Amino acid sequence: MLALREPGSPDHESRDLGPADGLPRITTAGRFLSPPGRYFPGLAREVDEGGLVEAALEELAWSGAWVKLIGDSPLGGDGITRTFTDAALAQVTAAVHGAGGRVSVHCTVPEVISGALDAGVDSLEHGSFMTLDLLPVLRQADVTWVPTCSINDAVRGLVRNVGYSESAIRHVETCLDAQPEVIRQAVADGVRVLAGTDAGMVPHGMVRREIELLIAAGVPVEAALGAGSWTARSWLGLPLVEEGAPADLVAYREDPRDDPAVLAVPAVIILDGELLVPASV
């Protein structure tokens, strides 16, 4: 992994990290923004709707690129429920776009996904209960979807651990079971689907596993590989293999399009022109 988007963080520690430290190029969004008491304790910058725009612009000024909103939460009730109103999502998105930034929204349930699309956000993180009827809107709006399939087992455990009723648990299970079909159709419809994980729910460095899960959902292999590499870089505005670009390259002895398992054994990794992993003899 030579480039990493961190669409929200508990702190501000990652902004100045990058190739000079032997680490990926990092695009960050600063701290998550959530209403008080609606996210995991200590992880978000808590702000009510009255202060949301100001807080978002402060996080944008710090990160220089992105703002992330927590649009719904599994905490505080029997099921996953919205946090900010649709009006607040629209207001903060307009303000961030006006300042030259982009907005990502942590979202799960269809009503929050729909509100985020109406607000004109740039990316949906998770979107775990995405429905087929929302796909035409998603495609028309040119919003990127990062479905984070690798957290689904953890989500299934979470909703049991926080004491949901059996009916609420069954609803979560049904929605997660339907996700592969929706992802497959989204890609077929031309939606930009990218491979992303959720550090905290799963360990860092699991993008390869996410690519495997996209393929298992029925996404064509080349599209799934692009979701974790060239498509994602292009969407972030990073150069690919082209004249004058930084020398960022991962190479394999076999073609990952024929066998995605080879992603686990890169032969060469070059970051910013520096050889990090040499080819074995």
Side-chain angles (χ1 to χ4, degrees):
M1 184 189 300
L2 303 179
L4 173 68
R5 182 178 69 120
E6 179 190 62
S9 173
D11 54 42
H12 285 166
E13 297 302 315
S14 64
R15 181 182 64 175
D16 296 321
L17 297 176
D21 308 287
L23 298 171
R25 302 180 189 281
I26 296 176
T27 300
T28 186
R31 299 194 67 190
F32 311 108
L33 298 176
S34 168
R38 293 304 313 278
Y39 201 55
F40 298 98
L43 294 188
R45 174 177 174 178
E46 297 189 340
V47 57
D48 60 26
E49 290 194 356
L52 182 59
V53 168
E54 180 180 0
L57 293 177
E58 288 174 355
E59 294 301 325
L60 175 63
W62 179 86
S63 74
W66 284 86
V67 169
K68 181 172 182 180
L69 308 174
I70 302 299
D72 53 33
S73 171
L75 306 180
D78 186 26
I80 299 171
T81 56
R82 71 165 58 250
T83 53
F84 297 115
T85 63
D86 287 348
L89 290 180
Q91 184 180 26
V92 73
T93 299
V96 171
H97 284 172
R102 300 165 90 179
V103 177
S104 70
V105 176
H106 164 113
C107 53
T108 307
V109 298
E111 56 267 32
V112 175
I113 295 171
S114 180
L117 292 174
D118 288 345
V121 304
D122 299 279
S123 72
L124 305 175
E125 314 303 323
H126 316 307
S128 305
F129 299 176
M130 181 77 71
T131 53
L132 291 170
D133 63 292
L134 287 171
L135 296 183
V137 183
L138 183 58
R139 174 66 184 89
Q140 181 65 32
D142 194 28
V143 173
T144 294
W145 180 22
V146 187
T148 63
C149 307
S150 53
I151 70 169
N152 287 354
D153 287 345
V155 171
R156 294 175 195 270
L158 173 67
V159 298
R160 293 184 179 277
N161 292 337
V162 298
Y164 281 15
S165 65
E166 283 301 316
S167 62
I169 290 171
R170 285 195 300 273
H171 177 67
V172 170
E173 297 277 1
T174 298
C175 292
L176 292 179
D177 288 345
Q179 190 190 48
E181 178 191 1
V182 181
I183 292 172
R184 180 170 62 251
Q185 189 61 51
V187 173
D189 289 350
V191 172
R192 186 186 302 104
V193 173
L194 299 183
T197 61
D198 190 5
M201 296 289 278
V202 296
H204 280 290
M206 297 291 288
V207 170
R208 175 173 61 87
R209 174 60 176 156
E210 189 69 19
I211 292 171
E212 292 172 349
L213 290 171
L214 292 177
I215 294 170
V219 174
V221 172
E222 189 156 343
L225 292 170
S229 56
W230 57 83
T231 305
R233 284 183 69 100
S234 179
W235 179 63
L236 289 173
L238 296 172
L240 304 179
V241 180
E242 56 196 65
E243 184 79 23
D248 292 354
L249 185 69
V250 180
Y252 302 89
R253 293 190 179 280
E254 300 175 35
D255 191 336
R257 294 173 297 181
D258 297 330
D259 180 11
V262 307
L263 293 174
V265 285
V268 173
I269 299 177
I270 300 172
L271 175 61
D272 208 32
E274 182 174 350
L275 185 64
L276 301 183
V277 174
S280 57
V281 178

